[in-house]
Amino acid sequence: MNNLTDHRTHEVRVITGVIAIICATACATSIIPGLEDLINRALLIGAAVVLLGVAARLGVRWVRERLEDREDDRLAVIWRAEHAARIPSTDLPVIVTPVGSPRLRVVVSDVREVA
C-alpha cells in the first residue's frame, strides 16, 4: 500500500469538496435573493471574530512578556544583592532600589570575603 497515493486521494477529495461547496453556494445565491447578503454577513462576522482573536492574543502576549521582563529584572537585582560579596566590584558601596518594589531595599557595603 502506498501512503503517498492514499494521502493524495484524501487531498483530492477535500479539494473537490471545497470547490463543490463554493459552486453550490454560488448557484444557490443566484436563485435565492437574500442568501447572498446572509453569506456575506456571516463571512464578515467570521473575519471580524478572527481579527479580534488575533489582536487579543497579541495583546496578551505583549503584556505577558513585559511582566516577565519586570520579574527578571527584579530577580537579577535580588541575585546581585545576595552575591555581591563574591562579585569583585570597584564601585562599592552601592544602594540598589528597584522600581515598583518599595519593600525591597538592598544596601551593599564594602564587605569582602576573607580566604
Side-chain angles (χ1 to χ4, degrees):
M1 190 179 255
N2 189 355
N3 285 337
L4 292 176
T5 305
D6 293 340
H7 289 295
R8 188 176 304 131
T9 303
H10 178 70
E11 289 175 0
V12 167
R13 288 181 181 160
V14 169
I15 292 170
T16 304
V18 168
I19 292 173
I21 289 172
I22 291 171
C23 291
T25 304
C27 182
T29 56
S30 67
I31 297 171
I32 303 171
L35 188 60
E36 184 177 0
D37 292 333
L38 181 66
I39 290 174
N40 286 339
R41 286 183 185 146
L43 290 175
L44 287 173
I45 289 172
V49 167
V50 167
L51 287 175
L52 286 174
V54 168
R57 182 167 170 81
L58 289 175
V60 167
R61 182 179 180 182
W62 184 83
V63 168
R64 185 186 70 232
E65 287 175 355
R66 296 306 162 284
L67 289 175
E68 288 175 356
D69 289 344
R70 288 185 68 194
E71 182 68 17
D72 289 343
D73 292 341
R74 189 181 69 82
L75 290 175
V77 167
I78 292 172
W79 186 89
R80 279 190 219 108
E82 290 175 353
H83 298 86
R86 289 182 240 146
I87 299 174
S89 179
T90 58
D91 57 347
L92 291 176
V94 175
I95 298 175
V96 180
T97 17
V99 177
S101 178
R103 293 183 296 156
L104 177 65
R105 189 170 284 265
V106 180
V107 177
V108 179
S109 61
D110 194 10
V111 176
R112 300 185 188 253
E113 288 186 13
V114 179

